[in-house]
């Protein structure tokens, strides 16, 4: 009995000494806002110009680590600096510049190293450069551990909390894959991420997704740049590049296993599920490009994916426009999009510049923002963008003019549906389609039902801000309708997403 008591007493004292006045408690984690640990302690004059090591445990398979530090005594000029060590290595130091840091395998807060998060004992390294005599400063560090991180955002709050239409580019490359630009001496070099971000900001875009071929390295640069570009949302996308087609993934930043050995949907679904299960979305890229040496693996060859696996199709690709001179080339994604819509899938049409040269001037086909995808978002955030694309309330502004706009809604008696929504209908119902268009005076509105142009429904656009009302008789079996807008020369400039029909 006495031995047990002594052993217990020794263990307790070792734990207290090891904690250096810190209290570490595992919290019940009902949601991501509740920390896994809260480390509490205090520093006094005895800690002046010393370093306090505060240990905490990281279990196996953690993929993202976030730490928030707060402390009292600032009004008395107490300062506590922050650094971090993993079980083997120094991971970073931010001093008094930050109170929140994040690390994952792919990216980390500036001042810290991304990489694997090994299990074992980690240490907060708290430096105390100043504390006045007689002052006791209490600190609290909240530790968040994620084994299955969902979508990655580089800002703690929305870039803009207002709902509305936001304009962006969903497909571009930097030097982390095959993006090029010129050095000071005029040499073509792998283009740094900041050049792409600066160019997008100059174009007045609200969001961009940088989508490297299979790489994840760009996420670290985007986390560093986001605070400096606090009016534009930066999203770390991925162009999952396989031998059987390319697709953009938006949301998660961790590695996606792209190594397919055949074109079966079984293999494709494995990595697509990885994206979808984490709250992200998948969009098929440049589906109409022929597979072969000219563009190895570019054409879409994967069939029979379960409905809902793919959320969007890149209908208009800027690179293909540059090569073919057309937004309506068979090499674009129109055929794939219509095929999926006619199969009963609710997939959103998007566009992307597929830019590989950040220096390309505004107005040049395939430059950043040419085409622009315009998304109605509840807020300008990564989640807002993903939810907006998934909702289908999206249109493509092919030339990237900030003054162009299109929206459609359809009525059937008391029933009404906006772009991306479903309208209940009977086989003999009369419909009215309302099309709001801006920036297309002298052009025309075209209506496409189930992939077929309806010439009798075409209307001229007489003024800049036009609201056209088109009456038509529903044809039994029709599944969807969307609208194209052409300019006065017949050139396609705007593409809406569909309204879907379902039986009452």
């Amino acid at each position: 009995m006495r031995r047990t008591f002594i052993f217990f007493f020794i263990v307790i004292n070792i734990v207290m000494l090891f904690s250096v006045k810190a209290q570490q408690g595992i919290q019940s984690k009902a949601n991501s806002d509740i920390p896994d640990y809260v480390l509490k302690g205090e520093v006094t004059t005895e800690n002046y110009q010393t370093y306090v090591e505060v240990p905490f445990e990281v279990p196996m398979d953690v993929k993202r680590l976030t730490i928030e530090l707060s402390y009292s005594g600032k009004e008395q000029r107490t300062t506590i600096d922050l650094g971090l060590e993993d079980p083997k290595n120094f991971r970073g130091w931010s001093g008094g510049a930050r109170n929140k840091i994040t690390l994952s395998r792919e990216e980390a807060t500036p001042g810290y190293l991304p990489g694997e998060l090994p299990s074992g004992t980690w240490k907060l390294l708290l430096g105390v450069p100043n504390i006045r005599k007689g002052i006791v400063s209490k600190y609290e560090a909240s530790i968040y551990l994620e084994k299955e991180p969902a979508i990655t955002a580089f800002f703690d709050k929305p870039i803009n909390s207002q709902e509305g239409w936001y304009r962006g580019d969903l497909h571009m490359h930097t030097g982390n894959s095959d993006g090029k630009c010129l050095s000071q001496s005029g040499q073509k070099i792998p283009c740094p991420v900041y050049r792409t971000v600066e160019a997008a900001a100059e174009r007045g875009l609200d969001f961009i997704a940088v989508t490297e071929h299979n790489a994840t390295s760009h996420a670290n640069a985007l986390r560093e740049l986001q605070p400096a570009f606090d009016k534009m949302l930066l999203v770390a996308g991925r162009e999952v590049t396989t031998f059987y087609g390319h697709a953009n993934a938006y949301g998660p930043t961790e590695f996606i296993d792209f190594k397919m050995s055949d074109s079966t949907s079984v293999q494709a679904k494995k990595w697509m599920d990885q994206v979808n299960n984490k709250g992200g979305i998948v969009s098929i890229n440049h589906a109409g490009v022929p597979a072969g040496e000219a563009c190895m693996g570019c054409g879409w060859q994967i069939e029979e994916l379960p409905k809902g696996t793919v959320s969007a199709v890149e209908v208009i690709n800027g690179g293909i426009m540059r090569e073919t001179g057309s937004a309506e080339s068979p090499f674009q994604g129109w055929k794939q999009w219509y095929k999926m819509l006619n199969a009963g899938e609710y997939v959103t049409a998007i566009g992307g510049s597929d830019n590989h040269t950040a220096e390309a001037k505004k107005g040049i086909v395939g430059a950043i923002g040419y085409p622009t995808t315009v998304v109605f978002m509840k807020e300008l955030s990564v989640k807002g963008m993903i939810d907006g694309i998934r909702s289908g309330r999206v249109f493509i502004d092919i030339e990237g003019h900030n003054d162009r706009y299109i929206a459609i809604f359809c009525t059937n008696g008391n029933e009404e549906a906006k772009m991306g929504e479903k309208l209940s209908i009977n086989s003999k119902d009369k419909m009215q389609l309302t099309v709001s268009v801006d920036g297309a005076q002298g052009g025309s509105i075209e209506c496409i039902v189930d992939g077929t142009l309806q010439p009798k429904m075409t209307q001229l656009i007489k003024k800049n801000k036009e609201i056209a009302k088109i009456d038509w008789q529903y044809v039994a079996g029709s599944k969807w309708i969307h609208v194209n807008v052409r300019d006065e020369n017949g050139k396609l400039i705007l593409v809406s997403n569909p309204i879907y029909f379902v039986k009452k």
Side-chain angles (χ1 to χ4, degrees):
M1 181 72 174
R2 179 178 175 81
R3 288 180 181 176
T4 302
F5 177 80
I6 292 172
F7 175 78
F8 182 77
F9 180 81
I10 291 172
V11 169
I12 290 297
N13 278 275
I14 289 173
V15 171
M16 290 177 66
L17 180 63
F18 185 67
S19 297
V20 196
K21 296 185 180 181
Q23 300 172 21
Q24 177 172 311
I26 298 177
Q27 304 296 308
S28 172
K29 193 169 184 182
N31 58 59
S32 59
D33 295 328
I34 299 176
D36 293 86
Y37 297 121
V38 176
L39 311 178
K40 296 181 180 180
E42 60 185 38
V43 294
T44 67
T45 309
E46 294 178 1
N47 302 111
Y48 175 60
Q49 293 188 344
T50 66
Y51 297 95
V52 178
E53 295 183 348
V54 185
F56 62 96
E57 295 299 314
V58 172
M60 293 182 64
D61 300 324
V62 169
K63 295 179 179 177
R64 184 179 298 280
L65 166 66
T66 300
I67 299 168
E68 290 186 86
L69 176 70
S70 61
Y71 59 91
S72 65
K74 292 180 181 180
E75 60 277 7
Q76 285 87 32
R77 303 298 297 274
T78 296
T79 300
I80 299 179
D81 291 340
L82 177 62
L84 185 65
E85 296 178 352
D86 71 19
K88 295 182 179 180
N89 299 301
F90 177 72
R91 293 301 290 261
W93 180 262
S94 51
R98 304 181 190 280
N99 64 358
K100 184 175 182 179
I101 60 174
T102 294
L103 294 84
S104 74
R105 181 170 56 185
E106 294 79 23
E107 37 84 22
T109 298
Y112 293 82
L113 297 175
E116 297 290 345
L117 306 180
S119 61
T121 301
W122 289 55
K123 296 175 185 177
L124 293 185
L125 190 59
L126 304 181
V128 187
N130 193 64
I131 185 167
R132 292 175 179 173
K133 188 174 181 179
I135 296 296
V136 176
S137 179
K138 297 182 182 297
Y139 65 81
E140 181 173 306
S142 296
I143 313 293
Y144 301 84
L145 307 173
E146 297 178 70
K147 289 193 172 184
E148 292 296 335
I151 60 175
T152 298
F154 303 129
F155 224 51
D156 291 337
K157 59 183 181 179
I159 300 295
N160 190 324
S161 60
Q162 299 297 311
E163 71 174 19
W165 292 99
Y166 292 100
R167 310 177 71 88
D169 193 334
L170 290 167
H171 190 169
M172 56 186 67
H173 299 273
T174 75
N176 286 274
S177 55
D178 52 353
K180 303 289 185 182
C181 59
L182 298 179
S183 69
Q184 285 182 315
S185 63
Q187 301 299 310
K188 188 174 285 190
I189 59 162
C191 201
V193 176
Y194 81 88
R195 295 265 190 100
T196 291
V197 175
E198 283 184 336
E202 289 170 2
R203 308 285 149 82
L205 296 179
D206 300 307
F207 66 93
I208 59 169
V210 179
T211 52
E212 309 294 7
H213 294 288
N214 296 329
T216 60
S217 51
H218 56 298
N220 199 47
L222 292 173
R223 180 172 287 280
E224 180 180 8
L225 290 168
Q226 181 67 93
F229 293 86
D230 56 359
K231 293 182 179 180
M232 182 172 67
L233 176 69
L234 307 183
V235 180
R238 210 90 44 85
E239 184 165 16
V240 182
T241 304
T242 78
F243 298 139
Y244 312 102
H246 299 184
N248 277 347
Y250 307 106
T253 53
E254 66 185 66
F255 172 69
I256 295 170
D257 192 351
F258 56 90
K259 300 185 295 293
M260 295 174 59
S261 58
D262 61 51
S263 62
T264 63
S265 60
V266 174
Q267 289 210 11
K269 190 174 181 297
K270 289 180 182 178
W271 62 261
M272 291 183 180
D273 283 350
Q274 182 184 345
V275 176
N276 291 322
N277 291 342
K278 294 180 184 300
I281 55 175
V282 174
S283 175
I284 297 171
N285 287 349
H286 41 65
V289 174
E293 290 184 355
C295 192
M296 293 173 284
C298 291
W300 193 251
Q301 303 169 57
I302 302 164
E303 302 293 341
E304 298 181 354
L305 283 163
K307 288 183 179 180
T309 307
V310 170
S311 297
V313 174
E314 184 186 69
V315 171
I316 300 176
N317 175 285
I320 294 172
M321 283 186 67
R322 185 179 63 250
E323 295 297 324
T324 65
S326 175
E328 300 177 90
S329 162
F331 293 169
Q332 298 282 11
W334 293 94
K335 183 178 178 180
Q336 180 72 31
W337 184 42
Y338 285 175
K339 177 181 177 181
M340 295 179 76
L341 292 177
N342 287 335
E345 297 213 50
Y346 302 128
V347 285
T348 302
I350 62 174
S353 67
D354 201 357
N355 177 265
H356 287 69
T357 309
E359 296 159 337
K361 301 299 183 183
K362 182 178 181 180
I364 294 175
V365 178
I368 291 170
Y370 196 133
T372 292
T373 301
V374 189
V375 183
F376 188 87
M377 304 184 198
K378 296 295 185 183
E379 61 182 27
L380 182 57
S381 66
V382 180
K383 185 177 186 304
M385 185 197 84
I386 288 171
D387 289 347
I389 293 172
R390 193 182 281 121
S391 77
R393 202 169 174 193
V394 175
F395 68 88
I396 305 169
D397 178 354
I398 295 173
E399 296 176 345
H401 287 261
N402 289 341
D403 60 346
R404 286 180 178 166
Y405 166 83
I406 183 173
I408 65 174
F409 70 91
C410 198
T411 55
N412 168 31
N414 294 325
E415 300 275 350
E416 181 179 302
K418 296 189 291 289
M419 188 161 54
E421 295 181 340
K422 303 178 187 70
L423 183 66
S424 297
I425 197 165
N426 287 320
S427 59
K428 296 182 180 180
D429 284 346
K430 291 184 178 180
M431 317 283 290
Q432 185 175 78
L433 179 70
T434 300
V435 183
S436 297
V437 184
D438 198 1
Q441 184 175 359
S444 60
I445 294 167
E446 294 179 343
C447 298
I448 292 90
V449 176
D450 294 352
T452 301
L453 176 66
Q454 308 296 308
K456 293 182 179 180
M457 296 173 67
T458 298
Q459 285 205 12
L460 297 178
I461 301 171
K462 298 177 182 178
K463 55 187 179 182
N464 231 7
K465 295 182 182 294
E466 182 78 278
I467 299 178
K469 295 187 180 294
I470 304 169
D471 295 316
W472 60 295
Q473 176 70 51
Y474 174 74
V475 177
S478 298
K479 295 180 178 178
W480 54 270
I481 185 171
H482 91 97
V483 168
N484 289 334
V485 174
R486 298 185 182 275
D487 67 12
E488 65 274 15
N489 299 314
K491 186 178 180 181
L492 185 64
I493 57 173
L494 292 169
V495 179
S496 87
N497 265 282
I499 292 170
Y500 304 96
F501 304 126
V502 294
K503 290 182 179 180
K504 285 184 178 178

